[in-house]
Every structure is written in structure tokens, then in C-alpha cells.
Amino acid sequence: LRHLERCRDNWRLVAKVKAQRCSPQTHTPFTQMTAGDMDKVEVFDAGSKGRGLKTKQDFWSGDVVFAEPAYAAVVFDNLIHHVCHGCFKKQAKLQRCMQCKFAHYCDRTCQKAAWTEHKSECSAIRNYGKAPSESIRLASRIFWRMRREGALVPEDRLLPIEDLQDHLDDLSEAEKKQLNLDVEVFQRYWQPKAQELSMESISHIFGVINCNGFTISDQRGLQAVGVGLFPNLCLVNHDCWPNCTVMLNNGKIELRAVMQIKAGEELMVSYVDFLSLSAERRKSLKEQYYFDCSCEHCQKGIKDDLMQAVKEEDGKKPPEETVTEVIEVSKTTLEKVEKERQEGSWANVVKLCRACLKKQEPVLADTNLHKLKILSLVSEVLSYLQHFEEAADYAKQMVEGYQKLYHHNNAQLGMALMRAGVTHWHAGRIEPGHAMICQAYGIILVTHGPTHPISKDLEAMRCQTEMELRMFKENEFIYYQMREAALKNQKMHVMAQPAGNYIKELFHRRK
């Protein structure tokens, strides 16, 4: 029944996409939702969780609950020369602001569109002599916007910035010390305007950024490039098995339903990646967001058994000492791999992973987190090194494990299926490759929407592999001949260097 429900939802999405293409408004989203259309949700008292958001109407998987532009956003310090400060797209060549010499833009169009936000910043940087850190810049942009808007709260904002949670009382001593340093730098950066602001208001904004700063991705949604504040999104509480996901698309975040949501239900997102034991997720949430997760999956430890699973033969598990030894080898391997990755020694990474998997194979199940980490690493690196057949074998194992752990409409699962499908296609395994790409497309339609760049890429891949699959079924010999001839006439395509830092957490927290 669950399988039939998923198929029904996916076909419903495909039908909507086709209907949109046939209509004059080809880029209309599933649900007609704009930044100001917040009347479908409402703030309510969520008990021990504080405030929360619930829906006033029913939503289906793939529907946009609401979309919201950033209240304020900045590029990360280490990417200021590589990412446009207006549209947050990564570009090889950017034009620099001729006044402050700090901000970079795609072109004059982006610079002009961003001038309202950059005008005060430009002057402050010139007066201060240099650009401060990303947290100082973001806090400054928030205050400049608050000053522009005055006391008026726009209709599309559910709560004023002053009412957002800051968790200042929950900060550790080290965090309080960092907060005081940030406030001091901010006051020097803002002088003499900082005299208008109280210490309480400055500290409040830094507290809000600390626990509610949202990670902004590049145009393809693969790399974190900045941090921003989205006031309405801040009101959505956490659940490890949520009914919504958040995606940045065309300059706005979209809160998208990943399952059917009834009117009156609370809207939930996951602040952390699900692939951790419940105790580890709860610890991480407590340290980063200052609350104890009480969701069903944490309370009952749902899927913890799969994440720690070992192989059984005739109902017998391997000895506890053997399991402990293999887990220690896995942890040590990951530490060694990280050093080799930093040095770009990809052959050594593969060698380490192969040796580790040889020890893991007879002991750990394919859903064990230690094994999945190694499988993910080795499949990605082997693809980069053009060893596609071996990479495809490991990628298949990996996604089969993911499918038993993740929610069927999880964005991380969709991306993993997409990468595995492409790897299978490169290996000449057209049938499983096409199947994986189709599965990925169904998930990404829900989590990203049809207009997202990744969705468009996946649709092109799906059409390409479908055409090749028809040729393969008609005459397998001719298909491989044509494929080989086509690949010979093309330059060797080098896969992207393994990044290992795909976005898995919703909010950005300064390390």
C-alpha cells in the first residue's frame, strides 16, 4: 500500500509538471505561492517547543507551503572572490565594487539590484578600512534593513525580528566570550551609528544569527556559499522525520511538503541529517540549537538497529570483539582518508577504502553507518578517477542501504540516486542507470520542484537514458558500437573533484 501511495504521489507530480508545460505560464510553481502569501500558515503555541507553524489547509507532497526571500544574506568569508554578492552564483570572473573593493558581482545588473543592501555596507567598509567577518556583516545588514523599514512589520512576516528566539541564556562560556568579541567589533564597524543601538539589541541579533542562520547554496544547490536570515522559516520546528523540506530556488527558500499534510498539522523540517544514531542526533541538536529532541524517531530509536546492523549467518552474529575491531578500523580509516583527501592523494584514498571494506564485508550489514560512509567515499573517488565499473558496484550498495534508512522523499537520497545513476551510465550499465535516474527524478521533483536547475538536469538525463535504453533493447550490439564511437569522438570528461561537503544541515553554525 505504501508503494502504491508513493507511485500515486509521483504520477500526480509528473501530471502537474506536464500540465504546466502545456499552459502559457510554463514556470508556474505547483502551488501559487509568493513571498507575501503567508495566509495558509499560522503561528501557534507548540508547548515545550515554544512557537511553531501549522497549516490552515491540506498539502500534497511536492507542494510549496510558502516561499520567502532572505531578510539579509552574506557570502562566506572564504568565497568572497568566487561568489556573486547579489545572486550568490559561483562565477569564474566577477566584477568588483570600485568603491569598497570588497563586494563582487556577476555584472552591472547584479550590482545595481544589490545596491540597496550594499550601499550602507560599502560606506562602512571604507570607513572601517576592511571588511569584517561574515557574522558581523550579516548582523549589520539586518540592522540596516530594520532601520529602513522602521517599526512597520510587513504583512508577509509572521513575527518581527525582535521577537525571534536568540537562546542567549543557553550559550556556553566560550560562546558568550565570542559574542562579546563580535559585539565589540560590530560597534567599531558601525561607529558612530552604533550609539543608536543598545547592547541588548545587538546581542539579540547575534543570538538569532547563531541559532537561525540559514545555509545558502550555490545555483545548483550543491555547495554552501553563504548564510542568511529568513524570519518565517525560523518559526518552523525540528523533527528527525519531518513532513517538509527546505530548498533554495531562484533566490528564495521554499518550504516544500514531502508527504501529505492535513490542515491543522504542525509544519516540521529536520535541522540535521538523519543518518546518525538517535542519541548522536539529540546530542548534536542540544549543542547546536539548545533543545532536547522529543520526536518519535528519537524517543523510540527508530532505525537505530539498522544503522548498527551486523551480518548474520544461520541466525548467528559475529563475535562482539570482531564487531568492535571492525568499527575501530572504520574510524581509523576515515581519519586517514581525510588526510589523503586534503593532499589530493585519491589513489591512496581508494586503497584505504578497499582495505576497510574487505574487513567490513563479512561483519557489517549494508545499512551500517560505518560501511555506508566508506561506500559513499570510495564510489565518489572511483568515479572521479574514471573507474566507473567498480564505482557503480559500490554506489549500488550505498543507495540500497540509503533506501532502507531515509524517508522515500529525502533530498539526500535523491542526490545519491542521481550520482549513482550517472556512475552506472558511465559504466555502460544503461538499465540500472536509467532506473536510478528515474527514481532520483521522482524524489527531486518533490524536494526541489520542476524549475530547479538540478531537476532540469535530471529531466535531460532521464530523456537521454530512456532513448539509449530503447536502442539497447532493440539491438544491444549496435548500441554498444554506437556508444563506443560516440565516446571516442568526445574529449575525456573529467568528473568533478570529490567535494565531501554536500549540504546536509539546514542551518549554518559558525565552527
Side-chain angles (χ1 to χ4, degrees):
L1 285 172
R2 283 196 298 270
H3 175 70
L4 289 173
E5 287 172 359
R6 292 175 195 175
C7 291
R8 178 197 64 192
D9 289 348
N10 286 340
W11 279 113
R12 179 177 172 274
L13 280 170
V14 171
K16 280 190 173 185
V17 174
K18 288 181 177 178
Q20 287 169 2
R21 287 178 187 149
C22 294
S23 66
Q25 297 179 342
T26 57
H27 296 291
T28 304
F30 290 141
T31 306
Q32 296 294 326
M33 179 72 70
T34 64
D37 192 8
M38 298 299 297
D39 59 340
K40 296 177 178 65
V41 298
E42 63 181 344
V43 183
F44 78 108
D45 183 357
S48 60
K49 294 184 289 187
R51 289 183 295 251
L53 276 189
K54 64 180 180 180
T55 174
K56 296 180 181 179
Q57 67 173 52
D58 294 351
F59 287 99
W60 291 87
S61 58
D63 283 342
V64 179
V65 180
F66 68 79
E68 181 182 15
Y71 184 82
V74 295
V75 174
F76 286 149
D77 293 336
N78 62 329
L79 293 173
I80 56 175
H81 301 297
H82 309 288
V83 175
C84 175
H85 292 214
C87 67
F88 289 85
K89 289 182 179 179
K90 290 188 72 176
Q91 300 282 5
K93 293 183 180 180
L94 295 170
Q95 298 179 10
R96 187 173 63 172
C97 173
M98 297 307 295
Q99 296 186 52
C100 67
K101 314 294 183 186
F102 169 75
H104 291 71
Y105 301 98
C106 298
D107 49 34
R108 290 285 297 173
T109 302
C110 272
Q111 184 174 10
K112 187 176 180 181
W115 179 242
T116 301
E117 286 74 28
H118 180 59
K119 182 178 179 181
S120 298
E121 178 184 69
C122 188
S123 175
I125 291 172
R126 282 182 282 130
N127 292 333
Y128 187 60
K130 62 179 181 179
S133 67
E134 62 206 34
S135 58
I136 309 295
R137 290 186 283 119
L138 181 56
S140 301
R141 285 195 168 208
I142 291 171
F143 276 116
W144 281 317
R145 179 157 180 178
M146 290 172 67
R147 190 171 62 180
R148 288 198 304 269
E149 292 183 348
L152 182 66
V153 179
E155 291 182 2
D156 62 348
R157 196 168 311 139
L158 298 172
L159 282 178
I161 303 298
E162 294 85 353
D163 290 348
L164 295 177
Q165 182 63 262
D166 57 26
H167 286 289
L168 292 178
D169 295 335
D170 298 316
L171 297 180
S172 65
E173 289 303 316
E175 289 171 328
K176 289 177 181 177
K177 184 177 180 181
Q178 183 60 55
L179 173 64
N180 291 331
L181 290 174
D182 286 341
V183 171
E184 288 178 12
V185 174
F186 174 86
Q187 288 176 319
R188 292 197 298 270
Y189 178 62
W190 253 64
Q191 287 290 357
K193 300 170 187 174
Q195 296 174 358
E196 307 170 8
L197 307 171
S198 66
M199 284 289 292
E200 291 77 12
S201 61
I202 299 173
S203 298
H204 170 71
I205 293 301
F206 277 108
V208 170
I209 292 171
N210 186 53
C211 58
N212 289 301
F214 179 79
T215 301
I216 293 177
S217 63
D218 60 3
Q219 63 268 39
R220 294 184 55 76
L222 297 177
Q223 182 186 1
V225 298
V227 57
L229 182 67
F230 297 81
N232 294 333
L233 178 63
C234 295
L235 298 169
V236 182
N237 286 320
H238 164 85
D239 193 291
C240 292
W241 201 257
N243 54 17
C244 292
T245 189
V246 177
M247 195 56 54
L248 189 72
N249 193 9
N250 294 323
K252 297 178 183 178
I253 61 99
E254 294 176 344
L255 186 71
R256 307 184 68 90
V258 295
M259 61 179 73
Q260 187 179 5
I261 306 173
K262 296 289 187 181
E265 288 185 17
E266 183 176 6
L267 300 167
M268 311 290 283
V269 295
S270 181
Y271 295 177
V272 295
D273 185 36
F274 181 69
L275 286 198
S276 295
L277 296 175
S278 55
E280 293 175 0
R281 292 198 306 272
R282 295 185 76 180
K283 181 183 177 184
S284 177
L285 289 163
K286 183 67 174 177
E287 290 176 351
Q288 296 185 53
Y289 305 106
Y290 314 106
F291 70 87
D292 295 307
C293 183
S294 58
C295 76
E296 183 183 12
H297 277 67
C298 280
Q299 292 285 358
K300 298 180 179 179
I302 298 175
K303 301 212 175 187
D304 279 3
D305 55 340
L306 287 174
M307 295 182 190
Q308 302 175 94
V310 295
K311 286 190 172 179
E312 296 185 27
E313 281 191 32
D314 300 325
K316 293 182 180 180
K317 295 182 179 180
E320 191 65 36
E321 300 79 17
T322 304
V323 176
T324 302
E325 180 186 347
V326 170
I327 289 175
E328 285 304 314
V329 168
S330 303
K331 291 178 180 178
T332 304
T333 299
L334 287 172
E335 292 173 2
K336 292 179 180 178
V337 162
E338 186 56 36
K339 292 179 182 178
E340 298 294 345
R341 282 168 64 100
Q342 291 175 1
E343 296 174 5
S345 302
W346 304 115
N348 289 340
V349 170
V350 173
K351 186 177 178 180
L352 286 165
C353 289
R354 282 173 179 158
C356 185
L357 284 168
K358 190 174 181 180
K359 293 190 175 183
Q360 287 179 342
E361 191 58 38
V363 179
L364 304 183
D366 287 348
T367 57
N368 190 289
L369 293 182
H370 296 288
K371 189 172 184 179
L372 285 173
K373 288 176 183 177
I374 300 297
L375 287 170
S376 175
L377 272 169
V378 71
S379 62
E380 186 179 5
V381 174
L382 283 168
S383 293
Y384 172 65
L385 296 175
Q386 310 284 327
H387 301 316
F388 294 117
E389 289 197 10
E390 187 181 1
D393 290 335
Y394 292 132
K396 183 175 182 291
Q397 270 187 282
M398 177 190 70
V399 295
E400 286 175 352
Y402 282 175
Q403 286 173 321
K404 295 174 184 176
L405 297 174
Y406 276 126
H407 184 275
H408 62 272
N409 279 333
N410 185 283
Q412 295 298 329
L413 174 59
M415 297 300 294
L417 279 164
M418 180 182 74
R419 290 192 289 271
V422 171
T423 301
H424 276 72
W425 178 85
H426 277 288
R429 302 178 184 180
I430 186 64
E431 287 187 278
H434 175 68
M436 288 178 183
I437 286 171
C438 286
Q439 289 177 69
Y441 183 59
I443 295 170
I444 296 299
L445 271 181
V446 172
T447 60
H448 292 60
T451 62
H452 195 280
I454 290 179
S455 301
K456 293 177 179 178
D457 286 350
L458 263 172
E459 185 182 11
M461 290 180 206
R462 185 179 62 84
C463 293
Q464 172 73 16
T465 54
E466 185 175 357
M467 179 188 67
E468 291 189 23
L469 185 58
R470 285 200 206 100
M471 294 172 60
F472 175 82
K473 288 182 176 179
E474 287 174 5
N475 192 314
E476 184 177 338
F477 177 73
I478 292 179
Y479 166 74
Y480 279 118
Q481 276 193 325
M482 292 178 66
R483 176 186 171 86
E484 187 177 353
L487 291 174
K488 280 182 179 178
N489 291 331
Q490 292 182 359
K491 292 182 179 179
M492 175 62 76
H493 172 64
V494 179
M495 302 286 283
Q497 193 176 88
N501 58 345
Y502 301 111
I503 302 171
K504 292 189 176 181
E505 295 194 355
L506 183 63
F507 293 100
H508 169 73
R509 186 79 188 278
R510 185 167 64 184
K511 306 300 183 192

